Amino acid sequence: LAVPWRWRCTPRRGESGCPPAGQVRAAFLRFFQERHGHRRLPSAPVRPRGDPRLLFVNAGMNQFKPIFLGTAHPRSELAQHRRVVNSQKCVRAGGKHNDLEDVGRDTYHHTFFEMLGNWSFGDYFKEEACSMAWELLTEVYEIPKDRLYVTYFGGDSSLGLSADEECRDVWLRLGVPVSHVLPFPLKDNFWEMGDTGPCGPCTEIHYDHVGGGRNAAALVNQGSPDVVEIWNLVFMQYSREVEGNLLPLPQHHVDTGMGLERLVTILQNKRSNYDTDLFTPILDAIHKGCGGPRYQGLVGDADVGRVNMAYRVVADHVRTLCVCITDGIYPGLSGAELVLRRILRRAVRFCSEVLHAPPGLLASLVPTVVEVLGDAYPELTKNADQIMGIINENEVAFLSSLERGRRIIERTVQQMEPSTNFPAEVAWSLYGNLGFPLDLIGLMLEEKGISLDSAAFNELALEDAKRKAGGPQAGQLDNRNTCLDVHSLAQLQNSNVPTTDDSPKYAYKLGQHGQYEFSPCQATVLMLYREQSLQKEVGAGQRCGVILDRTNFYAEQGGQACDQGYMIRLGQQDILFPVESVRLCGGYVIHEVTAVETLRAGDQVQLFVDEAQRLACMTNHTATHLLNFALRHVLGDNTEQRGSHVTAERLRFDFDTKGPVTVEQLQQVEQVVQDVIKRNEAVHIAEVPLTLARKVQGLRAVDEGYPDPVRIVSLGVPVETVLTRDSEAAMQTSVELCCGTHLLQTGAMEDLAIISERQLAKGISRVIAVTGGQAKQAREVGQCLAMEVDSVSLRMKQRTTSIPEMQNLSKEVGQLTKVVANTAMPQWQRKELQTILKALQRTANTAIKKLEVQQAEEKAQSLLAKHCNQPIIIDTVAADSLSILMKVVNQLCDKSPGTSVLLLSPQVSGEVLCACQVSKKCLPAFSAADWAVAVCTQMEGKAGGSPVVAKGSGNAKGMQGALTTALQFAQSKL
């Protein structure tokens, strides 16, 4: 077939045979969309959605996992996909796919790259997939056929898998020579999603950069830079089970991925990704910004001073930073945010230490990145200023941390005993708390001829890894009874078991007296699910998942916790089956129960939802929508939701913000919510077609995972009004797509109090709020604490002259500070009280210090009069604390510069405090530290200090002997 001109990669004028990257990307998308009927989808954000095991989206298939696993809701747009094409933004840094430390060392590793992919979900398979790939590469991109080699799965006897001869034969029929069709084992040509789940053989297409008629088959999959893989076509036809065995998938899928950077390198006749127009503008901008030597593409020993490596690191990392920050991942302290912080800091180090660039170079590259990638990913253009601001702020913070880290290393080295290793805990603190790079710690220690205690450091790292790995899993419930595997889902569908009708969860109304009435629900047990197997019967005492034909239980989704309650068998009112959790999987609602008696498919059951828990969730979910609206109203329309979670106890809401929310803004947000509560607005809910919902102005982006039709929840404005053409009603109130359960009127919320607000990472805030009685209680607690703070403040103003009294007030302020920090109360009030308490603490400390100085001065005058012009003063004096005693000693020495002083102060507890200072004229023969040690040892105590000043304590029984020792010691040194 002739290829239409518009699919060809026609070169730019003056660039013979070198199509620009944008044209290569566009040709791929158009080829599958226009020639082969694929639906073109935009790239998903690199922040994974609904997959806590992933730090970043690292492959094109991530967003399609629910299809491969069979868990996509059958009425969702996602479940309707058959043929799809896109260019996916991917990040591989941290986790299983971690290219971070390799970036810069060679010319082909990247942390961010673009994955061109086409997919078939139960539509075409090997024949069509291979044929399309060959047509695109050889006819559209016009890559010489003799430079291409294909690999296929050669079989694995241990798994009982024969070679994929079907795939081999497809390539041979397409005209690929036998010598270019090569079998490879499991590790090279069998792709798996994870330890379990969909998997299958793959076929890879490799390109020989050298060509010239040679046979390069021996170099395929051998790590040769001359022969590289460019496209991987995965045929998902098996599922890896927990036991390790493989079962055929009920539906076959195709998942392909081709790195744009590598493809462009071939089509632009280059040997390095960094020599293509995806990178050259950025490398030019780096050169312009640092003024050093130009990029020459050198690697290894030829790259003197690692200058070329620095160019590659900075160019790669700034692309990653732009994409991640745009998609809502900001440099932070855990997970993906921590990895991004390391990427940023690695780039900053190469800028400053290798390229000797001025601060700000990294952020100055953002406009160039936007110019290169902005057409394909318009969101970058919109966020350019924000990206630059975040990079600059983090760079300043890191350079400050580097300086602090250097000082800590210097101080630690000075205090170390000779011939000892640098302490691992200090190195770990530098690495974990300051983000100080490990290799830099090693270099700095190497310069000083000191080694790090590597064994101890690795032990600390291992402990930290175990803690992090154990953290989330510790709280995860075993989902073997509630998460249907792909085979069980297929079995249910093939057996024509209908998906669960869960519309009864919305069957509730307001009674005559304003109370909520929940309609009863009767259902039939269709199937039971236990240990990843569908069963018709489950015995007493066994935990299992119950699939019903209908249910009024809410399954956890949309950020709302699942319902709890119980079910009974009809006719057996006294036997309860408690429902512990509820999950939705591929349209089936699975109720997890522990069977108190034998449960069978066909049993008729009555369902009872815990109404108090449900009503609390409804209240908090409606409050979440109202809070979202109030935040946007107060902070501006750019305030975007990042996530939420609703339980019966409280609600959590994460959102974009330019900085911490102020006290005034928190009060305004609460006021907006309370106004709507007082108006007792009706909550309007309606199901509408997805295409119609997409036209609502001001509605957040519609996710393709939503079932179609979708539910619109509108506060105070009927849904029909919101849907009216050109209506701006959705801009004036809360209008959201939501599958959750809600109040019917806002008045039942009674009140809302934001009890916590903090920044999760730069640019993302999290608020926690409570409603109803809990909000009222939080306000009452806040008022009580405000009265206590007022009381302390009043007593502080009375200016007591007693040090113990002032110390008690200071202690009270400290205790109140802890209570205010840890008690559920309105966050705006907490911030106000914390500001007052901070000032009170400063006032108390200043007053105590002033009183101590005053008291010390009086005691010093008295002692001076007693020991007039003596070279040594040794005496006892009444002092409430070691701090006062030390001040008395300081005052004496200031007023009589040639005098050395040692004072003891017996306490009510039986302890004796000791403080001394030696005149500088007596150094080095006379040491204050030695003097204090000699005296305190006599009192069975301890002491320490410097040659000039020292302090300690001991027991009152030895005080008289200590005074004698003090005099004898001093006389022996003078």
Side-chain angles (χ1 to χ4, degrees):
L1 287 169
V3 180
W5 68 268
R6 65 182 181 278
W7 286 328
R8 286 186 185 277
C9 279
T10 52
R12 281 180 180 163
R13 224 172 264 176
E15 292 181 14
S16 177
C18 291
Q23 203 170 336
V24 174
R25 185 195 296 112
F28 181 92
L29 298 170
R30 284 206 310 272
F31 173 79
F32 284 100
Q33 184 181 11
E34 298 174 19
R35 179 89 172 189
H36 293 288
H38 287 60
R39 182 174 181 186
R40 179 174 169 178
L41 294 180
S43 169
V46 291
R47 177 187 282 278
R49 186 181 179 276
D51 193 342
R53 291 165 297 185
L54 271 184
L55 291 172
F56 304 95
V57 164
N58 58 21
M61 53 73 61
N62 290 159
Q63 63 178 309
F64 304 119
K65 272 188 183 180
I67 301 178
F68 299 135
L69 295 168
T71 57
H73 196 288
R75 285 194 289 114
S76 69
E77 196 174 11
L78 192 64
Q80 311 313 313
H81 292 326
R82 289 295 170 266
R83 297 182 175 206
V84 165
V85 63
N86 87 340
S87 175
Q88 174 62 46
K89 299 175 290 189
C90 297
V91 174
R92 289 189 179 173
K96 180 182 170 186
H97 298 287
N98 187 0
D99 291 347
L100 181 56
E101 291 308 317
D102 292 322
V103 171
R105 298 181 195 281
D106 53 41
T107 60
Y108 50 87
H109 272 99
H110 303 290
T111 50
F112 164 75
F113 64 97
E114 296 177 68
M115 183 80 85
L116 302 171
N118 61 292
W119 287 267
S120 163
F121 305 115
D123 189 351
Y124 60 81
F125 205 44
K126 296 177 186 179
E127 179 91 40
E128 298 91 331
C130 296
S131 175
M132 290 177 201
W134 193 251
E135 180 188 359
L136 177 65
L137 293 179
T138 61
E139 295 182 34
V140 177
Y141 292 138
E142 298 178 343
I143 295 174
K145 295 178 183 180
D146 64 348
R147 289 200 180 199
L148 297 174
Y149 295 80
V150 295
T151 66
Y152 66 95
F153 178 54
D156 189 287
S157 55
S158 65
L159 289 170
L161 293 175
S162 56
D164 191 359
E165 292 175 357
E166 180 190 355
C167 176
R168 180 199 64 190
D169 293 345
V170 168
W171 287 120
L172 294 174
R173 282 199 298 276
L174 286 168
V176 183
V178 176
S179 60
H180 285 222
V181 182
L182 313 167
F184 278 90
L186 195 79
K187 74 178 180 70
D188 295 307
N189 278 76
F190 197 89
W191 189 90
E192 308 205 37
M193 188 187 288
D195 295 332
T196 59
C199 56
C202 63
T203 181
E204 295 175 344
I205 303 171
H206 295 249
Y207 175 79
D208 176 18
H209 276 285
V210 176
R214 70 169 186 166
N215 188 322
L219 296 175
V220 172
N221 277 338
Q222 298 305 309
S224 168
D226 294 336
V227 181
V228 295
E229 174 210 333
I230 55 170
W231 204 346
N232 187 9
L233 285 64
V234 179
F235 307 121
M236 292 199 193
Q237 59 189 92
Y238 301 107
S239 175
R240 172 84 67 182
E241 302 302 295
V242 177
E243 297 78 18
N245 58 310
L246 294 173
L247 293 177
L249 275 176
Q251 203 175 41
H252 291 171
H253 308 296
V254 173
D255 162 19
T256 87
M258 173 160 58
L260 175 68
E261 293 77 7
R262 215 170 261 192
L263 176 63
V264 172
T265 301
I266 292 166
L267 295 179
Q268 293 184 358
N269 199 25
K270 306 292 184 185
R271 292 300 301 271
S272 160
N273 296 354
Y274 291 93
D275 291 337
T276 67
D277 64 343
L278 286 167
F279 288 92
T280 50
I282 305 170
L283 295 169
D284 289 343
I286 295 170
H287 170 67
K288 189 178 174 184
C290 70
R294 279 192 172 278
Y295 177 69
Q296 296 172 286
L298 303 174
V299 293
D301 294 338
D303 182 18
V304 179
R306 300 194 302 165
V307 170
N308 289 265
M309 178 179 176
Y311 266 97
R312 289 188 290 268
V313 166
V314 175
D316 171 88
H317 288 8
V318 74
R319 284 168 29 111
T320 305
L321 287 163
C322 288
V323 167
C324 287
I325 292 169
T326 293
D327 286 350
I329 302 173
Y330 304 138
L333 297 175
S334 63
E337 284 78 10
L338 177 59
V339 175
L340 196 65
R341 184 175 82 153
R342 286 183 183 148
I343 289 170
L344 186 142
R345 294 186 163 197
R346 188 169 187 252
V348 169
R349 279 186 57 215
F350 274 96
C351 279
S352 62
E353 293 174 14
V354 181
L355 297 175
H356 306 295
L361 171 69
L362 199 58
S364 75
L365 303 174
V366 171
T368 309
V369 175
V370 171
E371 194 181 318
V372 173
L373 296 174
D375 287 346
Y377 309 108
E379 60 272 21
L380 286 168
T381 309
K382 194 176 87 172
N383 291 288
D385 289 341
Q386 181 198 22
I387 298 165
M388 290 170 74
I390 288 172
I391 289 175
N392 274 329
E393 283 177 31
N394 278 273
E395 179 175 1
V396 169
F398 177 48
L399 293 173
S400 167
S401 293
L402 277 182
E403 194 48 48
R404 280 181 63 200
R406 285 193 177 97
R407 289 200 301 270
I408 290 168
I409 289 174
E410 291 285 351
R411 192 168 65 243
T412 307
V413 169
Q414 284 170 10
Q415 293 170 354
M416 281 168 55
E417 297 288 329
S419 306
T420 54
N421 284 335
F422 190 82
E425 58 275 11
V426 176
W428 181 254
S429 175
L430 285 169
Y431 174 68
N433 299 327
L434 287 184
F436 210 83
L438 278 181
D439 58 342
L440 192 57
I441 295 172
L443 281 171
M444 290 182 69
L445 295 179
E446 195 179 307
E447 287 166 9
K448 297 175 185 300
I450 295 168
S451 302
L452 173 64
D453 187 347
S454 299
F457 184 90
N458 291 338
E459 201 172 307
L460 288 170
L462 194 65
E463 282 173 20
D464 184 65
K466 281 180 184 172
R467 180 177 56 78
K468 284 176 180 167
Q473 289 163 3
Q476 283 175 0
L477 293 169
D478 183 2
N479 62 10
R480 284 176 298 176
N481 299 323
T482 55
C483 192
L484 294 170
D485 65 283
V486 67
H487 303 293
S488 299
L489 275 164
Q491 193 179 329
L492 288 168
Q493 288 156 2
N494 294 337
S495 305
N496 293 318
V497 174
T499 55
T500 310
D501 171 14
D502 62 353
S503 59
K505 69 188 177 190
Y506 301 125
Y508 51 87
K509 62 181 181 179
L510 281 171
Q512 274 187 325
H513 305 292
Q515 81 283 10
Y516 277 81
E517 294 175 355
F518 295 87
S519 301
C521 183
Q522 189 174 315
T524 303
V525 177
L526 299 180
M527 195 66 73
L528 301 161
Y529 185 66
R530 175 172 163 74
E531 299 290 341
Q532 294 194 307
S533 164
L534 292 171
Q535 299 175 14
K536 293 278 188 182
E537 183 178 303
V538 167
Q542 293 187 320
R543 181 175 281 191
C544 66
V546 181
I547 299 171
L548 304 169
D549 62 336
R550 61 200 306 267
T551 183
N552 58 349
F553 275 78
Y554 183 84
E556 179 156 6
Q557 56 183 320
Q560 180 179 327
C562 66
D563 280 338
Q564 292 171 350
Y566 63 90
M567 59 178 76
I568 61 170
R569 255 197 304 245
L570 289 185
Q572 290 184 312
Q573 308 294 324
D574 54 341
I575 300 173
L576 308 183
F577 294 84
V579 177
E580 296 161 31
S581 69
V582 190
R583 288 185 66 160
L584 181 66
C585 210
Y588 297 97
V589 178
I590 302 99
H591 309 70
E592 187 171 32
V593 306
T594 300
V596 288
E597 279 197 357
T598 301
L599 257 178
R600 297 179 180 87
D603 282 351
Q604 301 287 303
V605 292
Q606 187 93 22
L607 304 174
F608 296 88
V609 167
D610 181 331
E611 294 182 7
Q613 191 247 2
R614 159 68 83 82
L615 185 55
C617 279
M618 286 161 54
T619 302
N620 287 343
H621 204 148
T622 304
T624 302
H625 284 217
L626 193 41
L627 179 64
N628 188 7
F629 167 70
L631 284 164
R632 293 183 71 152
H633 182 77
V634 172
L635 303 179
D637 289 336
N638 291 331
T639 307
E640 285 290 332
Q641 179 178 342
R642 285 291 178 192
S644 67
H645 191 242
V646 174
T647 66
E649 292 75 35
R650 55 178 52 188
L651 62 99
R652 187 191 78 212
F653 191 82
D654 300 343
F655 58 97
D656 282 343
T657 174
K658 287 190 168 67
V661 186
T662 66
V663 166
E664 293 74 22
Q665 287 170 331
L666 286 168
Q667 288 174 314
Q668 288 168 20
V669 168
E670 283 191 2
Q671 191 59 56
V672 170
V673 173
Q674 284 158 7
D675 289 346
V676 178
I677 292 171
K678 281 175 191 166
R679 291 200 299 269
N680 196 20
E681 301 272 20
V683 179
H684 300 276
I685 302 172
E687 282 198 348
V688 301
L690 189 60
T691 50
L692 202 56
R694 281 202 165 101
K695 294 174 184 173
V696 175
Q697 284 192 53
L699 199 64
R700 280 193 307 128
V702 180
D703 190 277
E704 59 178 7
Y706 278 108
D708 188 10
V710 293
R711 279 169 60 85
I712 290 185
V713 178
S714 172
L715 302 190
V717 179
V719 175
E720 305 80 53
T721 306
V722 169
L723 294 172
T724 308
R725 190 185 178 95
D726 299 327
S727 168
E728 292 189 1
M731 312 287 278
Q732 314 303 324
T733 185
S734 165
V735 178
E736 293 191 36
L737 296 186
C738 185
C739 57
T741 57
H742 287 271
L743 295 174
L744 300 175
Q745 289 182 293
T746 59
M749 214 180 295
E750 295 177 6
D751 193 4
L752 177 140
I754 295 169
I755 58 169
S756 170
E757 184 275 325
R758 65 186 179 91
Q759 283 208 293
L760 292 180
K762 184 71 183 170
I764 300 180
S765 270
R766 166 171 290 176
V767 294
I768 292 172
V770 289
T771 57
Q774 281 181 290
K776 185 183 176 186
Q777 187 181 353
R779 294 195 190 284
E780 287 172 357
V781 168
Q783 287 303 314
C784 290
L785 285 171
M787 288 167 67
E788 285 189 48
V789 171
D790 285 344
S791 169
V792 174
S793 186
L794 200 64
R795 281 178 283 147
M796 195 81 80
K797 284 173 185 171
Q798 290 167 359
R799 294 286 180 189
T800 176
T801 54
S802 161
I803 291 175
E805 273 185 42
M806 190 51 81
Q807 284 172 333
N808 284 338
L809 275 175
S810 175
K811 194 175 178 183
E812 201 175 327
V813 169
Q815 287 168 342
L816 259 177
T817 301
K818 281 182 186 173
V819 173
V820 166
N822 298 313
T823 303
M825 63 187 292
Q827 179 68 6
W828 65 263
Q829 194 170 29
R830 186 195 322 278
K831 284 187 170 185
E832 278 190 349
L833 294 182
Q834 284 173 330
T835 303
I836 295 167
L837 287 166
K838 204 171 180 180
L840 287 176
Q841 193 68 71
R842 278 199 305 269
T843 303
N845 292 345
T846 304
I848 291 166
K849 197 173 179 182
K850 198 172 176 182
L851 288 169
E852 284 181 352
V853 169
Q854 195 180 322
Q855 196 181 98
E857 201 164 332
E858 289 167 5
K859 292 181 187 297
Q861 288 288 7
S862 171
L863 285 164
L864 266 178
K866 183 178 174 184
H867 303 275
C868 190
N869 298 323
Q870 295 294 318
I872 300 169
I873 297 177
I874 297 169
D875 209 334
T876 59
V877 66
D880 293 329
S881 69
L882 190 54
S883 171
I884 296 173
L885 188 64
M886 201 74 234
K887 283 184 175 69
V888 178
V889 169
N890 295 152
Q891 292 265 7
L892 279 168
C893 291
D894 286 348
K895 293 176 189 298
S896 180
T899 305
S900 297
V901 180
L902 184 142
L903 298 179
L904 299 180
S905 179
Q907 304 293 298
V908 180
S909 62
E911 184 186 27
V912 176
L913 305 177
C914 169
C916 65
Q917 184 169 331
V918 169
S919 170
K920 289 180 181 175
K921 295 175 184 175
C922 304
L923 298 174
F926 193 3
S927 163
D930 295 344
W931 198 11
V933 168
V935 171
C936 292
T937 302
Q938 182 70 35
M939 297 187 293
E940 299 176 350
K942 290 181 178 178
S946 71
V948 179
V949 290
K951 56 190 176 183
S953 63
N955 196 302
K957 290 177 186 174
M959 192 171 78
Q960 287 307 317
L963 288 167
T964 307
T965 300
L967 185 59
Q968 288 171 350
F969 185 93
Q971 287 170 342
S972 72
K973 300 294 179 183
L974 292 174

